[in-house]
Amino acid sequence: MMRIGKSVVGAVFALAAVLAHAQTFQLTAPTDGAFVGRSTTFTYNITGASQQVTVTIVATAPDGSKTTLVKKDTPNADGKITGSQTLSLSASSAEGLYTCVLTATEPSKTYPKITRKITVDGTKPKFKDFNPIGSVAVRGKVRIVATLDEANVDEWRVQVGGDDIPNNTGSSNAVSVLWDTNLVEFDGEQTVQIRVKDKSENVATQDITVNIDRIKPTAAIQFPRSGDVRPNATFQVQIDVSDRTIDPTGVDVLLTTSTGKYIMRVPRISANFNNGVLKWTGRVRKSVKLPSIFKIVVKSVDRAGNVGTTQTTTITVKK
C-alpha cells in the first residue's frame, strides 16, 4: 500500500481551505438579454469576502447616459454575501438596450467584473385599432382582430366573459381569433377582452361589449288596412318591428302594384324604439299616383344581420 506523506496531506487541507474561501462574484438576476421594466433588481452572491465589499453598478443607456448605483455589503461569518440593488429609471429615461457593468471590491481584493445587457421597456402595449367595435350586434362566427403598437410582444390572449375560447393566444402584433357565438347558450351582452403582455411584463387590455342576437326581426303592418286610403290623399304607413337590435335603417318599406311592380320606397318620417319594438312611420304624399289596388311590402334586417320574413299586405283604395 502506498503511503501518503504528511506534507501531501497538509497541502490537500490547505487547498481545501483556499477553495472554501475562494473569491466569487455571481449575478443571479437579471439574466443576460432580459427584458425589464423601468425598475429592475440586480441580485448577486459573493463568497470569500473578509471585509465589507463595495458593489458598484454602472448602467449605460442607448443614448450614452449613465446611471450609477453603489452599495456596501458586509459578509457573514463564512465570508458570504447575498445582496441586491434596484435600478429605477425615470419616465424620461431612454428605453432600449442597456449595458450594465458590475464591480465588487474590498480593501484587499478585487472580484471579477460582470457585464450584463438588458432591454428596458417601460411602456405598455397600445392598440392601434380593433374590431368588433363596442356594443355591436353579432351572430354566428365573429372574427376578433386588433393591431398592436408594441415591438416586444410576449403574448396576447382573447377571452369572452372571462373564459378562454379556442385558439385564443399568440405573440405577433396582429391579433386574429375566430369566435363561434353558437357555442354561447343565451343571447345578450358579452364582454370580449384582449389582453396583451410584453416581454417586460407591461400589460394592456381592451374590453369590447358585444350583443349576441340570433333572433330574426318580426314586422307587422299596423296601418293602413284595405279601405283606409282615399284617392289622391296623403296617408301614413305605420310598421311595428319586434327585435332587440333593430334600428330604422334596417327597415325598408316599398309600394308595389298588385303584380309586384315597383312603385316607390316609402320615406321615413319618424321611428321610436320602445320595449323591444321599433315603431316606424312613413308618409306617402297625395302627389304619388297609385293604382286602385297596390301592395305594401316590408323588409327588415337587424344589426346582427338577421333577416326577417318579408311582410306584405294588399291595399284597395277606397272609392
Side-chain angles (χ1 to χ4, degrees), residues 146-172:
T147 304
L148 308 175
D149 183 8
E150 173 57 57
N152 305 312
V153 175
D154 181 46
E155 182 189 67
W156 50 256
R157 179 178 295 270
V158 177
Q159 293 184 314
V160 177
D163 296 324
D164 286 331
I165 59 177
N167 304 311
N168 66 325
T169 62
S171 58
S172 68

Side-chain angles (χ1 to χ4, degrees), residues 184-204:
V184 180
E185 185 174 2
F186 300 107
D187 283 8
E189 286 191 349
Q190 289 284 343
T191 298
V192 177
Q193 183 181 82
I194 307 173
R195 184 179 187 273
V196 184
K197 177 171 66 73
D198 67 20
K199 294 178 181 178
S200 295
E201 302 294 326
N202 300 301
V203 175

Side-chain angles (χ1 to χ4, degrees), residues 73-195:
D73 291 301
T74 301
N76 62 16
D78 296 326
K80 296 180 179 180
I81 295 171
T82 298
S84 65
Q85 295 191 54
T86 300
L87 175 67
S88 296
L89 301 171
S90 67
S92 61
S93 298
E95 294 187 344
L97 187 64
Y98 277 64
T99 301
C100 302
V101 178
L102 293 83
T103 57
T105 60
E106 59 179 292
S108 59
K109 300 173 186 176
T110 299
Y111 295 79
K113 180 174 66 175
I114 298 174
T115 300
R116 190 68 39 101
K117 292 184 181 295
I118 58 175
T119 298
V120 174
D121 178 4
T123 303
K124 290 183 179 181
K126 295 182 178 65
F127 291 85
K128 289 183 178 179
D129 53 56
F130 57 88
N131 196 65
I133 306 300
S135 300
V136 70
V138 297
R139 67 186 179 95
K141 293 183 178 180
V142 179
R143 178 67 64 177
I144 301 168
V145 296
T147 304
L148 308 175
D149 183 8
E150 173 57 57
N152 305 312
V153 175
D154 181 46
E155 182 189 67
W156 50 256
R157 179 178 295 270
V158 177
Q159 293 184 314
V160 177
D163 296 324
D164 286 331
I165 59 177
N167 304 311
N168 66 325
T169 62
S171 58
S172 68
N173 284 74
V175 177
S176 182
V177 174
L178 192 63
W179 170 40
D180 188 355
T181 66
N182 294 316
L183 300 178
V184 180
E185 185 174 2
F186 300 107
D187 283 8
E189 286 191 349
Q190 289 284 343
T191 298
V192 177
Q193 183 181 82
I194 307 173
R195 184 179 187 273

